[in-house]
Every structure is written in C-alpha cells, then in structure tokens.
Amino acid sequence: MTPRRSEPDLSYLLDHTSHVLRTRMAAELAEIGLTARMHCVLVHALEEERTQAQLAEIGDMDKTTMVVTVDALEKAGLAERRPSSTDRRARIIAVTEAGARVAAQSRRIVDGVHEAALDSLPEEEREVLVHALGRLADGHLKTPVEGPATARRARQKS
C-alpha cells in the first residue's frame, strides 16, 4: 500500500552520508582531544583575526555553544581571548602555538576523512559528486527555510 517513489530519496542520501561522515570525523578528532567545533574555531581563528561572534557564525554555533567551545580551547591551552588589534572594544580568539600545532594535526585528520570518503568512489565519479554538491550548496540549496521545527539528526533507512 506504500506509494511508489517518483524520485530518489535525496534527503536520506544526504542526511545519512553526512551523519556517517560527521561520526567518523568526531571519532578521529577525539583521538587528539578535539571536537569538530573546536577544530572549526582553531582553523578559522588562524586564518585572520576574528571575534568570537564571527567564528560562531562561520561554525554555525549559537552563543552558548561558542562560549563553551572557546572555554574548552582555553582550558586546553590551545586558544585565548585577547583584545583586538584593530578595535579595542572587541575581543578576538587567538590561537596559541600549541593550538596551531593541534590545528595542523586536526586539518590532516579532517582532510583524511574526506579523502577516504572520496577514495571509496571510482575516480571519474569523485569530481562529479563534489561539483554537483557544490552547485547545490551555492545554488538551489544555499539558503535554509525557516520552519516550525528543525530536524535534529539523520533519518534511519527502513
């Protein structure tokens, strides 16, 4: 009695693969004492002087999550809050030398997780997949639509 699908279940395919990719990344980053959010803050704070609010926006984190993340980085000696060199009212997140070393290590981990996923595909499909996902992310699926409730985790395949 179930109606037949007229299109592939794109939501499941994207949700499931994204969920599995995130769990693999989380497991590997945990081995060096980082979360994905900590990694995100470190690598983006290294790029240029950025405030906590700017880093929260880049990492799609709310204020509370960002504060907890930076607190953890400070406690680990990987980053610190400092006055901005360009705006004395603003405080930036500065990565310590130890943080820069860990960020380089975490970058290799993240790149390795991505590389392993792409390496599981035939070479000619890798570029097509990345290109197609990039077009969706920059085009039709660029902007989320606000709804009454947000989905929290990937659906499970039945």
Side-chain angles (χ1 to χ4, degrees):
M1 299 292 270
T2 304
R4 289 188 167 262
R5 288 196 171 280
S6 59
E7 296 293 329
D9 190 346
L10 186 59
S11 294
Y12 167 75
L13 295 171
L14 293 171
D15 285 346
H16 178 75
T17 54
S18 177
H19 174 70
V20 172
L21 192 66
R22 284 190 315 273
T23 61
R24 290 181 180 184
M25 196 170 309
E28 291 198 32
L29 287 171
E31 291 179 14
I32 62 167
L34 288 188
T35 64
R37 289 180 176 129
M38 292 166 82
H39 162 77
C40 180
V41 169
L42 287 175
V43 298
H44 291 293
L46 279 169
E47 292 171 344
E48 63 183 65
E49 190 173 281
R50 289 191 164 119
T51 65
Q52 197 165 285
Q54 290 169 323
L55 291 166
E57 186 173 329
I58 290 168
D60 195 26
M61 290 180 247
D62 60 48
K63 265 189 198 179
T64 303
T65 302
M66 184 63 185
V67 168
V68 169
T69 302
V70 175
D71 286 349
L73 288 168
E74 281 190 316
K75 185 175 180 183
L78 303 176
E80 55 193 28
R81 294 169 174 98
R82 290 188 191 156
S84 168
S85 64
T86 58
D87 180 355
R88 61 188 170 124
R89 297 167 296 163
R91 296 183 53 80
I92 57 124
I93 304 306
V95 179
T96 64
E97 286 184 33
R101 287 190 299 275
V102 170
Q105 194 177 1
S106 69
R107 171 90 63 189
R108 287 190 298 274
I109 288 170
V110 169
D111 288 349
V113 170
H114 293 158
E115 183 180 4
L118 291 172
D119 282 351
S120 71
L121 297 172
E123 192 171 335
E124 63 276 3
E125 291 180 12
R126 294 175 202 165
E127 189 175 324
V128 172
L129 173 67
V130 172
H131 180 75
L133 289 173
R135 285 189 60 173
L136 285 172
D138 289 337
H140 184 72
L141 298 179
K142 182 175 185 172
T143 307
V145 175
E146 294 297 324
T150 57
R152 285 305 206 172
R153 93 163 258 201
R155 292 183 304 163
Q156 301 300 304
K157 190 173 186 176
S158 52

